[in-house]
Amino acid sequence: MTTEEELTADEIALYDRQIRLWGMATQLRLRSTKILVINLGAVGTECVKNLVLGGLNSIEILDSSVVKEEDFTAQFFLPNDASIVGQLKLPLIVDNIKELNTKVDLSIKTSPLDEAFAEPSYFKKFDLIIATELSKTQIINLNEISRRLNIPLYVGGMHGLFGYILVDLIEHTSYNEYNQSSVPRKVNVELSRNKTMIAVKPDPLKKVDIVTIRDVYSPLKTIFTSKEVARYSSPREIRKATLLPIIIALFDIPRPQNPSDVIDVLLLRSKVEETYKTLNLPAVSFSEDYIQKLSRQAYAEFSPSAAVLGGTLAQEVIRFLSKNYSPMNNVVLLDATNATMPIYSM
């Protein structure tokens, strides 16, 4: 990924507010970044909207799906026309996305994801991949390719009022500005099991420390069997880890053709119990109420939840490109019923 030396006068005028927010260097990185977005459901729609407005160099969207009736509830790029049901989605929305920002190079690809898996060289042209609503097998296959090609990967999905973001940036270095403390910061200190403070540079004039943090990420396939949450979390955090095993368990239940279908609650409960054992989590956080909610809402698209998840995804991409913040590492869950987004290191 390379950056241009400067923005044009038109670009500075267009992106003035965000340049003031995150700086010229970040805007330059955005202007030179090529992103692949896989699947444009509700979460992908919100994420693409924010990234296009942010001024990326280019976005390619890979999605072979056709329009379904339920898509109109949360996918706002679609024309309000019931006659388009059954038609390929991307050709119908690409012009509406382009209208947001004509300076972004936007392209679409309507072939199945499995065809891209068969030709991994396809992914080489991208600096970052965002994928939504993938199966467990697809996540693992995609992550194997992204790691082999050293491409950062974000995966997101939603279940009604709940959702998740899985992150694999492989390894990332960020430069964080903190107020100076009366106790000098030390280098080579683990902030968590996968975040290490590797350098500290005091700035006496600003009375801050520029702290370099290195994040090391686990492959996404390890999330489904990881025992790290049980090992490193406090008893209070474990008691609140109600949603985590249910989200993980849903990956082992086939996605229904109709998102309004209710997941068999007995099957879901059984899978959740298995997941507790796999993750080595005590049953103290087990919640029948959450299992009932997720069985009814699994894979449903709600606009408010999609806005939060898609906005967070886009924000994290920009934070990653800025190198000014230590990014999320590596599982983020949305619980809109409690307005919380806990992060788990797995």
Side-chain angles (χ1 to χ4, degrees):
M1 183 168 56
T2 60
T3 57
E4 302 291 339
E5 290 186 1
E6 59 183 21
L7 299 174
T8 65
D10 286 347
E11 287 173 315
I12 291 174
L14 178 63
Y15 304 128
D16 176 69
R17 289 181 62 187
Q18 57 201 49
I19 290 172
R20 294 173 187 269
L21 177 63
W22 55 58
M24 184 66 76
T26 298
Q27 193 64 48
L28 284 167
R29 292 191 187 100
L30 281 169
R31 207 265 297 269
S32 63
T33 300
K34 300 176 181 179
I35 287 183
L36 171 66
V37 175
I38 300 172
N39 293 337
L40 205 69
V43 175
T45 293
E46 290 283 354
C47 183
V48 164
K49 176 199 72 176
N50 286 285
L51 292 176
V52 167
L53 291 172
L56 281 163
N57 176 302
S58 70
I59 297 176
E60 179 156 304
I61 305 172
L62 172 65
D63 189 337
S64 62
S65 69
V66 298
V67 179
K68 303 179 182 65
E69 288 185 5
E70 58 268 20
D71 292 342
F72 293 105
T73 62
Q75 299 178 34
F76 48 76
F77 287 127
L78 283 169
N80 188 19
D81 181 359
S83 68
I84 65 175
V85 171
Q87 298 181 36
L88 281 171
K89 182 191 299 181
L90 292 189
L92 297 168
I93 64 177
V94 62
D95 289 339
N96 290 337
I97 301 174
K98 287 180 178 178
E99 286 181 2
L100 294 177
N101 189 348
T102 57
K103 294 186 179 298
V104 177
D105 182 10
L106 184 68
S107 59
I108 61 173
K109 190 176 180 69
T110 58
S111 56
L113 178 57
D114 287 344
E115 289 187 10
F117 286 160
E119 295 288 341
S121 59
Y122 163 72
F123 298 96
K124 286 184 178 180
K125 61 183 177 180
F126 303 108
D127 301 306
L128 187 144
I129 300 171
I130 300 170
T132 64
E133 311 302 343
L134 298 186
S135 68
K136 181 177 178 179
T137 299
Q138 288 174 323
I139 290 172
I140 293 172
N141 289 344
L142 179 60
N143 192 215
E144 287 177 351
I145 293 172
S146 67
R147 282 201 150 238
R148 191 158 63 244
L149 299 177
N150 198 36
I151 301 174
L153 172 64
Y154 292 85
V155 177
M158 69 182 305
H159 300 290
L161 292 172
F162 307 92
Y164 59 88
I165 299 172
L166 314 179
V167 187
D168 181 16
L169 306 181
I170 306 172
E171 187 169 315
H172 179 66
T173 301
S174 58
Y175 305 92
N176 306 262
E177 189 174 289
Y178 298 126
N179 291 330
Q180 288 183 343
S181 170
S182 58
V183 179
R185 292 183 169 88
K186 298 179 180 180
V187 297
N188 297 323
V189 171
E190 277 197 1
L191 303 177
S192 64
R193 74 174 189 89
N194 47 24
K195 288 181 183 283
T196 305
M197 187 163 54
I198 60 174
V200 178
K201 184 179 180 181
D203 186 335
L205 292 178
K206 296 173 68 176
K207 295 183 179 180
V208 299
D209 288 336
I210 307 301
V211 178
T212 305
I213 296 176
R214 182 176 62 222
D215 278 82
V216 177
Y217 288 76
S218 303
L220 296 187
K221 67 180 180 181
T222 66
I223 288 171
F224 303 104
T225 58
S226 173
K227 294 176 173 54
E228 299 300 334
V229 172
R231 185 177 302 167
Y232 285 96
S233 298
S234 68
R236 181 173 179 271
E237 290 170 330
I238 289 177
R239 284 196 301 272
K240 290 188 173 184
T242 300
L243 184 58
L244 177 64
I246 306 177
I247 294 292
I248 298 297
L250 278 169
F251 280 104
D252 288 326
I253 297 177
R255 185 180 186 130
Q257 291 296 317
N258 186 347
S260 65
D261 289 347
V262 174
I263 298 293
D264 183 338
V265 71
L266 295 178
L267 175 61
L268 179 57
R269 186 185 300 116
S270 173
K271 291 293 184 183
V272 170
E273 291 171 351
E274 291 176 14
T275 303
Y276 267 91
K277 294 177 182 178
T278 300
L279 303 183
N280 202 28
L281 287 171
V284 64
S285 66
F286 187 90
S287 169
E288 180 66 27
D289 179 51
Y290 269 68
I291 290 174
Q292 294 286 342
K293 288 177 180 177
L294 268 295
S295 71
R296 294 192 297 267
Q297 299 180 26
Y299 305 107
E301 294 188 334
F302 292 170
S303 290
S305 305
V308 173
L309 276 171
T312 302
L313 260 174
Q315 174 184 289
E316 278 302 298
V317 168
I318 293 169
R319 284 163 63 97
F320 163 74
L321 294 172
S322 76
K323 298 185 180 294
N324 291 330
Y325 306 92
S326 182
M328 294 176 173
N329 191 344
N330 59 343
V331 176
V332 186
L333 301 184
L334 169 66
D335 181 352
T337 64
N338 286 318
T340 58
M341 290 191 76
I343 302 173
Y344 298 96
S345 175
M346 300 183 70

